[in-house]
Amino acid sequence: MILGSGISKGFYNYCKREVTLIFLFLPTLLWEVVYIYSGLSGKYGIEKIIIISILAVVLGYLLSLGLSILIPSFKYSSRKDDLEAKFHIFASTLTSLLAGGEGLSQALLTFVNKYSDELKEFNVEMNYIKTYVTLNENPAKILEGLSKITPSPSLKLLAQSLARGAVAGADLVQIAQDSISSYLNYYYSLVERISSSIGTLLESFLVVGIVGPVLIGVMGMLFTVYPVSTISFTSLIILVIFILIPIVSLITAVLADNQTSKLKL
Protein backbone atom coordinates (compact mmCIF):
# COMPACT_ATOMS: atom_id res chain seq x y z
CA MET A 1 0.00 0.00 0.00
CA ILE A 2 2.85 2.38 0.78
CA LEU A 3 4.50 1.72 -2.58
CA GLY A 4 1.22 1.88 -4.47
CA SER A 5 0.16 5.11 -2.81
CA GLY A 6 3.36 6.81 -3.99
CA ILE A 7 3.85 8.38 -0.58
CA SER A 8 7.29 6.81 -0.15
CA LYS A 9 9.72 4.47 -1.88
CA GLY A 10 9.42 1.81 0.78
CA PHE A 11 8.17 0.87 4.23
CA TYR A 12 11.48 1.71 5.91
CA ASN A 13 11.70 5.16 4.32
CA TYR A 14 8.09 5.89 5.22
CA CYS A 15 8.67 4.94 8.86
CA LYS A 16 11.95 6.85 8.98
CA ARG A 17 10.53 10.11 7.65
CA GLU A 18 6.74 10.57 7.78
CA VAL A 19 5.91 8.22 10.67
CA THR A 20 8.72 9.59 12.82
CA LEU A 21 7.50 13.16 12.30
CA ILE A 22 3.91 12.15 13.12
CA PHE A 23 4.95 10.32 16.31
CA LEU A 24 7.06 13.29 17.42
CA PHE A 25 4.65 16.07 16.52
CA LEU A 26 1.17 14.80 17.47
CA PRO A 27 1.82 13.48 21.02
CA THR A 28 3.93 16.55 21.81
CA LEU A 29 1.24 18.92 20.59
CA LEU A 30 -1.50 17.08 22.47
CA TRP A 31 0.59 17.00 25.64
CA GLU A 32 1.33 20.74 25.44
CA VAL A 33 -2.35 21.61 24.95
CA VAL A 34 -3.50 19.42 27.86
CA TYR A 35 -0.64 20.53 30.14
CA ILE A 36 -1.18 24.23 29.49
CA TYR A 37 -4.97 23.93 29.90
CA SER A 38 -4.63 21.94 33.12
CA GLY A 39 -2.10 24.40 34.54
CA LEU A 40 -4.07 27.52 33.63
CA SER A 41 -7.41 26.19 34.83
CA GLY A 42 -6.17 25.77 38.38
CA LYS A 43 -8.61 22.92 38.99
CA TYR A 44 -6.04 20.14 39.20
CA GLY A 45 -3.16 19.37 41.50
CA ILE A 46 0.28 18.41 40.29
CA GLU A 47 -0.48 14.67 40.59
CA LYS A 48 -3.58 14.93 38.41
CA ILE A 49 -1.76 17.11 35.89
CA ILE A 50 0.97 14.46 35.57
CA ILE A 51 -1.59 11.67 35.14
CA ILE A 52 -3.57 13.65 32.56
CA SER A 53 -0.35 14.51 30.71
CA ILE A 54 0.65 10.83 30.55
CA LEU A 55 -2.80 9.88 29.26
CA ALA A 56 -2.56 12.65 26.66
CA VAL A 57 0.80 11.32 25.45
CA VAL A 58 -0.58 7.77 25.23
CA LEU A 59 -3.61 9.03 23.33
CA GLY A 60 -1.30 10.99 21.06
CA TYR A 61 0.69 7.84 20.22
CA LEU A 62 -2.52 5.92 19.48
CA LEU A 63 -3.73 8.72 17.21
CA SER A 64 -0.31 8.82 15.54
CA LEU A 65 -0.50 5.09 14.84
CA GLY A 66 -3.96 5.45 13.31
CA LEU A 67 -2.89 8.48 11.26
CA SER A 68 0.21 6.67 10.01
CA ILE A 69 -2.02 3.91 8.63
CA LEU A 70 -4.76 6.23 7.41
CA ILE A 71 -2.53 8.51 5.29
CA PRO A 72 -1.20 5.85 2.86
CA SER A 73 -4.58 4.12 2.85
CA PHE A 74 -6.35 7.32 1.77
CA LYS A 75 -3.66 8.11 -0.79
CA TYR A 76 -3.83 4.57 -2.14
CA SER A 77 -7.62 4.65 -2.58
CA SER A 78 -7.56 8.14 -4.11
CA ARG A 79 -5.12 6.97 -6.81
CA LYS A 80 -7.44 4.10 -7.71
CA ASP A 81 -10.04 6.24 -9.52
CA ASP A 82 -7.40 8.25 -11.37
CA LEU A 83 -5.62 5.15 -12.63
CA GLU A 84 -8.83 3.39 -13.61
CA ALA A 85 -9.87 6.35 -15.76
CA LYS A 86 -6.56 6.26 -17.68
CA PHE A 87 -6.09 2.50 -17.79
CA HIS A 88 -7.16 2.19 -21.42
CA ILE A 89 -4.29 4.50 -22.47
CA PHE A 90 -1.78 2.51 -20.43
CA ALA A 91 -2.98 -0.85 -21.76
CA SER A 92 -3.36 0.30 -25.37
CA THR A 93 0.17 1.70 -25.46
CA LEU A 94 1.71 -1.44 -24.00
CA THR A 95 -0.36 -3.61 -26.35
CA SER A 96 0.87 -1.68 -29.38
CA LEU A 97 4.48 -2.36 -28.36
CA LEU A 98 3.78 -6.06 -27.90
CA ALA A 99 1.98 -6.18 -31.25
CA GLY A 100 5.04 -4.61 -32.88
CA GLY A 101 7.01 -7.79 -32.22
CA GLU A 102 8.97 -6.76 -29.15
CA GLY A 103 9.47 -9.24 -26.35
CA LEU A 104 7.84 -8.60 -23.00
CA SER A 105 11.04 -7.41 -21.32
CA GLN A 106 11.99 -5.08 -24.19
CA ALA A 107 8.40 -3.83 -24.50
CA LEU A 108 8.36 -2.90 -20.82
CA LEU A 109 11.69 -1.09 -21.12
CA THR A 110 10.58 0.85 -24.22
CA PHE A 111 7.26 1.58 -22.56
CA VAL A 112 8.71 3.21 -19.44
CA ASN A 113 11.42 5.10 -21.34
CA LYS A 114 9.16 6.63 -23.99
CA TYR A 115 5.82 7.13 -22.29
CA SER A 116 6.61 8.11 -18.70
CA ASP A 117 5.81 11.76 -19.37
CA GLU A 118 2.54 10.98 -21.14
CA LEU A 119 1.35 8.65 -18.37
CA LYS A 120 2.24 10.71 -15.31
CA GLU A 121 -0.67 9.23 -13.36
CA PHE A 122 1.20 5.91 -13.45
CA ASN A 123 4.53 7.32 -12.26
CA VAL A 124 4.67 4.90 -9.33
CA GLU A 125 4.08 1.89 -11.57
CA MET A 126 6.45 3.24 -14.22
CA ASN A 127 9.27 3.72 -11.71
CA TYR A 128 8.68 0.25 -10.32
CA ILE A 129 8.90 -1.34 -13.78
CA LYS A 130 11.94 0.72 -14.78
CA THR A 131 13.85 -0.17 -11.62
CA TYR A 132 13.45 -3.91 -12.02
CA VAL A 133 13.83 -3.99 -15.80
CA THR A 134 17.14 -2.17 -15.41
CA LEU A 135 18.20 -4.89 -12.95
CA ASN A 136 17.34 -7.53 -15.60
CA GLU A 137 14.63 -9.04 -13.44
CA ASN A 138 12.33 -11.65 -14.96
CA PRO A 139 9.44 -9.72 -16.62
CA ALA A 140 6.88 -12.17 -15.25
CA LYS A 141 8.10 -11.46 -11.70
CA ILE A 142 8.04 -7.72 -12.41
CA LEU A 143 4.43 -7.90 -13.49
CA GLU A 144 3.51 -10.06 -10.49
CA GLY A 145 5.07 -7.46 -8.21
CA LEU A 146 3.30 -4.68 -10.08
CA SER A 147 -0.06 -6.37 -9.53
CA LYS A 148 0.58 -6.33 -5.77
CA ILE A 149 1.30 -2.61 -5.45
CA THR A 150 -1.04 -0.92 -7.95
CA PRO A 151 -4.43 0.24 -6.65
CA SER A 152 -6.06 -0.11 -10.08
CA PRO A 153 -8.08 -3.35 -10.33
CA SER A 154 -7.88 -3.32 -14.14
CA LEU A 155 -4.11 -2.87 -14.15
CA LYS A 156 -3.76 -5.52 -11.45
CA LEU A 157 -5.68 -8.00 -13.63
CA LEU A 158 -3.68 -7.08 -16.74
CA ALA A 159 -0.33 -7.51 -14.97
CA GLN A 160 -1.35 -10.88 -13.52
CA SER A 161 -2.67 -12.10 -16.88
CA LEU A 162 0.48 -11.04 -18.74
CA ALA A 163 2.72 -12.63 -16.11
CA ARG A 164 0.89 -15.94 -16.33
CA GLY A 165 0.77 -15.72 -20.11
CA ALA A 166 4.51 -15.10 -20.30
CA VAL A 167 5.21 -18.18 -18.16
CA ALA A 168 2.78 -20.34 -20.19
CA GLY A 169 3.93 -18.97 -23.56
CA ALA A 170 0.48 -17.64 -24.47
CA ASP A 171 -0.36 -14.84 -26.90
CA LEU A 172 0.35 -11.70 -24.85
CA VAL A 173 -1.24 -9.36 -27.40
CA GLN A 174 -4.52 -11.25 -27.22
CA ILE A 175 -4.39 -11.24 -23.41
CA ALA A 176 -3.88 -7.46 -23.36
CA GLN A 177 -6.68 -6.91 -25.88
CA ASP A 178 -9.06 -9.04 -23.82
CA SER A 179 -8.23 -6.96 -20.74
CA ILE A 180 -8.98 -3.75 -22.64
CA SER A 181 -12.30 -5.17 -23.91
CA SER A 182 -13.30 -6.19 -20.38
CA TYR A 183 -12.40 -2.74 -19.09
CA LEU A 184 -14.43 -0.97 -21.79
CA ASN A 185 -17.46 -3.20 -21.18
CA TYR A 186 -17.25 -2.46 -17.46
CA TYR A 187 -16.94 1.28 -18.07
CA TYR A 188 -19.90 1.30 -20.45
CA SER A 189 -22.07 -0.42 -17.84
CA LEU A 190 -20.80 2.02 -15.19
CA VAL A 191 -21.74 5.00 -17.34
CA GLU A 192 -25.22 3.54 -17.86
CA ARG A 193 -25.72 2.94 -14.14
CA ILE A 194 -24.56 6.43 -13.19
CA SER A 195 -26.66 8.05 -15.92
CA SER A 196 -29.69 6.13 -14.67
CA SER A 197 -29.09 7.13 -11.04
CA ILE A 198 -28.59 10.80 -11.95
CA GLY A 199 -31.79 10.70 -14.02
CA THR A 200 -33.67 9.28 -11.03
CA LEU A 201 -32.28 12.00 -8.78
CA LEU A 202 -33.30 14.76 -11.17
CA GLU A 203 -36.76 13.26 -11.61
CA SER A 204 -37.20 13.16 -7.82
CA PHE A 205 -36.08 16.78 -7.57
CA LEU A 206 -38.53 17.75 -10.33
CA VAL A 207 -41.36 15.96 -8.54
CA VAL A 208 -40.57 17.84 -5.32
CA GLY A 209 -40.48 21.12 -7.25
CA ILE A 210 -43.89 20.46 -8.81
CA VAL A 211 -45.68 18.75 -5.95
CA GLY A 212 -44.40 21.16 -3.29
CA PRO A 213 -46.14 24.33 -4.57
CA VAL A 214 -49.32 22.41 -5.37
CA LEU A 215 -49.35 20.91 -1.88
CA ILE A 216 -48.82 24.32 -0.30
CA GLY A 217 -51.66 25.77 -2.38
CA VAL A 218 -54.05 23.00 -1.34
CA MET A 219 -53.09 23.33 2.32
CA GLY A 220 -53.49 27.11 2.07
CA MET A 221 -57.07 26.69 0.83
CA LEU A 222 -57.80 24.19 3.61
CA PHE A 223 -56.41 26.55 6.23
CA THR A 224 -58.58 29.33 4.80
CA VAL A 225 -61.71 27.20 5.30
CA TYR A 226 -60.55 25.47 8.47
CA PRO A 227 -57.96 27.72 10.11
CA VAL A 228 -55.51 26.21 12.60
CA SER A 229 -54.21 28.55 15.27
CA THR A 230 -50.78 26.91 15.62
CA ILE A 231 -50.02 26.68 11.88
CA SER A 232 -50.32 29.57 9.46
CA PHE A 233 -50.20 29.63 5.68
CA THR A 234 -47.30 32.10 5.78
CA SER A 235 -45.19 29.83 8.00
CA LEU A 236 -45.73 26.93 5.58
CA ILE A 237 -44.56 29.04 2.65
CA ILE A 238 -41.46 30.11 4.54
CA LEU A 239 -40.80 26.49 5.56
CA VAL A 240 -41.01 25.20 1.99
CA ILE A 241 -39.30 28.06 0.13
CA PHE A 242 -36.47 28.87 2.52
CA ILE A 243 -35.87 25.53 4.25
CA LEU A 244 -37.30 22.48 2.47
CA ILE A 245 -36.45 23.31 -1.17
CA PRO A 246 -32.86 24.48 -0.42
CA ILE A 247 -32.22 21.31 1.60
CA VAL A 248 -33.59 19.08 -1.18
CA SER A 249 -31.55 21.02 -3.78
CA LEU A 250 -28.36 20.64 -1.76
CA ILE A 251 -28.89 16.91 -1.23
CA THR A 252 -29.59 16.42 -4.93
CA ALA A 253 -26.46 18.36 -5.94
CA VAL A 254 -24.27 16.38 -3.51
CA LEU A 255 -25.61 13.01 -4.65
CA ALA A 256 -25.29 13.93 -8.34
CA ASP A 257 -21.70 15.12 -7.82
CA ASN A 258 -20.89 11.92 -5.95
CA GLN A 259 -22.12 9.86 -8.88
CA THR A 260 -20.38 11.90 -11.58
CA SER A 261 -17.09 11.86 -9.64
CA LYS A 262 -16.90 8.13 -10.32
CA LEU A 263 -16.35 8.94 -14.00
CA LYS A 264 -12.94 10.54 -14.51
CA LEU A 265 -12.24 10.58 -18.20
Side-chain angles (χ1 to χ4, degrees), residues 123-143:
N123 61 328
V124 174
E125 288 75 12
M126 290 288 200
N127 291 333
Y128 182 87
I129 294 173
K130 187 173 183 179
T131 299
Y132 285 97
V133 168
T134 305
L135 296 174
N136 293 321
E137 184 67 57
N138 188 315
K141 292 184 179 180
I142 296 175
L143 292 172

Side-chain angles (χ1 to χ4, degrees), residues 104 108 137-146 159 162-164 166-167:
L104 182 57
L108 290 175
E137 184 67 57
N138 188 315
K141 292 184 179 180
I142 296 175
L143 292 172
E144 283 289 348
L146 179 65
L162 288 176
R164 294 168 185 169
V167 173

Side-chain angles (χ1 to χ4, degrees), residues 14-25 68:
Y14 176 66
C15 293
K16 183 179 179 180
R17 297 176 59 184
E18 286 80 1
V19 174
T20 301
L21 290 176
I22 293 172
F23 270 79
L24 288 175
F25 174 74
S68 301

Side-chain angles (χ1 to χ4, degrees), residues 181-231:
S181 298
S182 300
Y183 167 80
L184 292 177
N185 291 332
Y186 163 74
Y187 225 81
Y188 288 150
S189 62
L190 179 63
V191 170
E192 290 179 357
R193 291 199 306 269
I194 292 177
S195 299
S196 177
S197 62
I198 291 177
T200 303
L201 285 173
L202 295 179
E203 289 175 1
S204 302
F205 179 71
L206 184 61
V207 169
V208 171
I210 294 176
V211 173
V214 174
L215 183 61
I216 291 298
V218 172
M219 294 182 69
M221 290 187 291
L222 290 176
F223 287 151
T224 302
V225 179
Y226 302 102
V228 179
S229 58
T230 57
I231 302 177

